[in-house]
Amino acid sequence: MSGIASIHLVENALLVSIQDDVNDTEILELQDSLSRRIAQDNVAGVIIDISALEIVDTFVGRVIAQLAGISKLLDAKTYVVGMRPAVAMTLVELGMYLPEAQTALSLSHALSQLRSD
Amino acid sequence: MSGIASIHLVENALLVSIQDDVNDTEILELQDSLSRRIAQDNVAGVIIDISALEIVDTFVGRVIAQLAGISKLLDAKTYVVGMRPAVAMTLVELGMYLPEAQTALSLSHALSQLRSD
């Protein structure tokens, strides 16, 4: 398994990095382990780092949306960090506005927002 | 009638537990009695406990979404508590993000959120 499924606990949040070569199998494993970790570790938030993504398509967009949806259902806030301008443009062109996720400029911004909640 | 339709008043909220063998008739009865109780008891929230559900399908997902929708129209907040990680994953895969409901880790979390509103 590549780096996709690495989940790190940072303060009271789980940090997940999405690599650009992520595939279907890895995503299912990631969803599975992430949802178990959210319940186990009782975290307040999930931070999805997509700074490794230079481009994005509907598959990856849906992956992010699903991770955010799972986190929300398990009572954790989702922050997407490290989004490049081109990625934001593409997501909007694809009609993917990620309603379940908040975005933050960086990991430290996301953590400070989580702290102030 | 099985335990499905049991509705309990806890503080200023109605607690409803969904059993995994719930059927269509029971759901209609539950929707009916829940909506009457929300109006009668003048509650601030409805807490749907789904910890008995180990798996979920579109029927149960729609049941939860409909209960949340009814509560919202009657001016009560809905909290879904006790969701298992596998259930969250399945709901998201089915495209059911439960927009009308908030989720909370436990009954006490939901009650404290209701108190602070």
Side-chain angles (χ1 to χ4, degrees):
Chain A
M1 193 155 58
S2 81
I4 162 63
S6 64
I7 300 175
H8 300 285
L9 185 66
V10 184
E11 294 189 15
N12 59 347
L14 292 173
L15 176 63
V16 183
S17 298
I18 308 280
Q19 304 304 319
D20 60 358
D21 56 353
V22 57
N23 65 39
D24 275 29
T25 320
E26 290 168 335
I27 277 304
L28 287 179
E29 280 168 9
L30 178 61
Q31 289 185 348
D32 191 51
S33 46
L34 181 67
S35 51
R36 268 186 287 115
R37 287 287 298 271
I38 294 172
Q40 257 173 34
D41 298 353
N42 196 2
V43 293
V46 172
I47 300 172
I48 303 175
D49 179 3
I50 59 167
S51 55
L53 300 182
E54 295 196 21
I55 49 165
V56 79
D57 55 14
T58 47
F59 171 68
V60 174
R62 215 170 46 234
V63 161
I64 300 169
Q66 286 183 344
L67 290 177
I70 291 171
S71 308
K72 190 202 155 229
L73 289 179
L74 293 172
D75 196 22
K77 284 204 170 167
T78 306
Y79 290 87
V80 174
V81 303
M83 189 182 295
R84 291 166 195 250
V87 168
M89 279 181 62
T90 311
L91 285 175
V92 167
E93 274 159 20
L94 295 171
M96 303 182 128
Y97 292 85
L98 305 182
E100 316 292 358
Q102 305 225 26
T103 39
L105 275 180
S106 66
L107 178 60
S108 57
H109 279 88
L111 287 172
S112 74
Q113 282 191 48
L114 272 171
R115 262 180 243 123
S116 66
D117 277 341
Chain B
M1 193 152 61
S2 80
I4 162 61
S6 65
I7 301 175
H8 300 285
L9 185 66
V10 184
E11 293 188 17
N12 60 345
L14 292 173
L15 176 64
V16 182
S17 298
I18 308 279
Q19 303 304 318
D20 60 357
D21 56 351
V22 56
N23 65 39
D24 278 28
T25 321
E26 290 169 335
I27 277 304
L28 287 178
E29 282 168 9
L30 178 62
Q31 290 185 345
D32 191 50
S33 46
L34 181 66
S35 49
R36 268 187 288 113
R37 288 287 298 272
I38 295 172
Q40 257 173 34
D41 299 353
N42 195 6
V43 293
V46 171
I47 299 172
I48 304 175
D49 180 4
I50 60 165
S51 54
L53 300 182
E54 295 198 20
I55 48 166
V56 78
D57 55 14
T58 47
F59 171 68
V60 174
R62 218 169 44 235
V63 161
I64 300 168
Q66 286 179 348
L67 291 176
I70 291 170
S71 308
K72 188 186 163 243
L73 290 177
L74 293 170
D75 198 22
K77 283 204 171 169
T78 306
Y79 290 88
V80 175
V81 303
M83 189 181 296
R84 291 166 195 252
V87 167
M89 276 181 66
T90 311
L91 285 175
V92 166
E93 274 159 21
L94 295 171
M96 303 180 130
Y97 291 82
L98 305 182
E100 314 292 2
Q102 304 226 27
T103 39
L105 275 181
S106 67
L107 179 60
S108 57
H109 278 88
L111 287 172
S112 76
Q113 282 191 47
L114 272 171
R115 261 181 243 123
S116 66
D117 277 341

